[in-house]
Amino acid sequence: MSSKVSVALVLPDLLGTYGDFGNAVVLEKRMTWRGIPAEVVTVNFGEPVPDSCDIYVVGGGEDTAQTLAVRHLREHPGMQRAAGRGAVVLGVCAGIQIFGESFTRADQVTHPGLGLIDSTSHAGGSRAIGEVVATPADGLFEGVLTGFENHQGRTTLGPAARPLAHVKVGTGNDGSVEGAVQGRILCTYLHGPVLPRNPQLADLLISWATGVELKPLDLPAVTRLRAERAKAAGV
Ligand code: GLN
């Protein structure tokens, strides 16, 4: 790791629905508030993807945008190289679909993914839209996971990937489990963005990247946001 923990915000111009860039901002802020020097490196469409960053953040997008994103990321495989050496990677919504082996769009055409996680995705019969509440799997972090979903794709995990959480309200991957974890690659269908709404998940990613065990930050605005969104989701 260099003197600063670098967070690559990957293709926000293609994959950035619902302010998913906020995930990179939250990672950077939660590190700097703790005295850990950090920076966000933005990589737009058409630009090479560095392989030297510590954390990579990919957001959501519609089917055409995610197909273009896969093409770009295959031509510039810096993130995949970094993942291979253990960098932390977060994929949201389209992210979980493009990180898998393949995704089949609503027109039934199957597109290759990046093969970073053991999963396949296919367009479901209806869009999953609304608030999601899920319980973290395997005690990955404390509290419930909440967020907002809007996707047509459904994702099936293979044996090498495990779920991030178990769905209580909403759909997630398939109405039963939500997201995926494989090594230090973590995926979710949740927007919100997901890290402002789930600071314990942000801290899990930071602790993976830095090896530092983090004490929680006392941020009343975040506590209020979580309570308000949990109420909106009916819990
Ligand atoms: N295009 C994908 C779907 O609709 C992902 C949507 C998103 O990222 N919000 O399933």
Side-chain angles (χ1 to χ4, degrees), residues 30-194:
R30 294 185 74 82
M31 286 189 272
T32 51
W33 286 335
R34 291 177 164 111
I36 303 170
E39 64 181 351
V40 175
V41 177
T42 301
V43 182
N44 282 310
F45 185 59
E47 295 173 355
V49 183
D51 61 8
S52 55
C53 293
D54 304 296
I55 307 178
Y56 291 76
V57 176
V58 176
E62 294 313 316
D63 286 1
T64 308
Q66 77 184 51
T67 309
L68 268 176
V70 169
R71 199 183 304 161
H72 183 82
L73 294 170
R74 289 177 143 231
E75 279 167 17
H76 302 279
M79 178 175 72
Q80 297 89 297
R81 274 202 300 272
R85 62 159 171 79
V88 174
V89 183
L90 170 69
V92 174
C93 202
I96 188 171
Q97 298 179 9
I98 69 177
F99 286 179
E101 297 297 335
S102 66
F103 56 92
T104 305
R105 290 168 40 163
D107 58 9
Q108 296 309 312
V109 177
T110 298
H111 296 261
L114 299 175
L116 287 173
I117 61 167
D118 185 10
S119 71
T120 54
S121 299
H122 63 278
S126 59
R127 289 195 80 77
I129 305 175
E131 289 289 326
V132 177
V133 179
T135 316
D138 306 328
L140 265 172
F141 53 89
E142 295 280 314
V144 290
L145 178 71
T146 79
F148 175 79
E149 64 181 345
N150 183 356
H151 55 100
Q152 189 158 8
R154 301 293 190 272
T155 295
T156 306
L157 303 183
R162 57 196 172 111
L164 171 65
H166 298 281
V167 175
K168 288 171 81 175
V169 176
T171 302
N173 298 3
D174 57 2
S176 169
V177 298
E178 167 15 56
V181 181
Q182 188 167 328
R184 290 177 167 196
I185 302 170
L186 190 146
C187 303
T188 176
Y189 267 105
L190 304 191
H191 301 281
V194 69

